[in-house]
Amino acid sequence: EVQLVESGGGLVQSGGSLRLSCEASGYTFSDYMMYWVRQAPGKELEWVSYISESGRTIYYTESVKGRFTVSRDNAKNTMYLQMTNLKPEDTARYHCVRVTKLGAYRSSPRGQGTQVTVSS
């Protein structure tokens, strides 16, 4: 059974930092591309970052470039999202998603998520 468990969220002031983790189990982690996505109340699901199986290819949505850094440790079956200079508009529930093709984050398995709340 595929399991994705996110952690590391919390309440932080504007300008602060958080590090999210996504621990995967039930499959060969290094065989799959991964996304971080987020969803704020009343808004659509938004992709935040993408990382390839090896970690050599990375993409970010424009609004987080220069502030967020995605990484993965295939030996630990874990993906990370280091978030700095957080803004109130980053407030959302963050999920990790396992995908088999680029862009397929809406229809692919994801975890329960971890809440990030940024106060102004």
Side-chain angles (χ1 to χ4, degrees), residues 80-97:
Y80 305 96
L81 186 67
Q82 178 68 49
M83 306 187 295
T84 63
N85 191 20
L86 282 160
K87 304 176 180 182
E89 51 264 41
D90 295 317
T91 295
R93 192 159 191 88
Y94 285 70
H95 305 262
C96 55
V97 186

Side-chain angles (χ1 to χ4, degrees), residues 32-80:
Y32 287 83
M33 302 175 278
M34 298 288 294
Y35 276 89
W36 282 104
V37 299
R38 64 187 180 187
Q39 189 163 27
K43 294 191 176 181
E44 288 195 359
L45 192 70
E46 176 188 29
W47 77 276
V48 175
S49 67
Y50 160 88
I51 187 165
S52 64
E53 297 93 321
S54 66
R56 284 194 288 267
T57 301
I58 288 172
Y59 303 121
Y60 299 100
T61 196
E62 194 63 36
S63 63
V64 309
K65 283 182 183 177
R67 301 188 298 121
F68 290 11
T69 303
V70 64
S71 61
R72 65 190 295 164
D73 185 338
N74 286 343
K76 294 183 178 180
N77 294 338
T78 303
M79 177 176 66
Y80 305 96

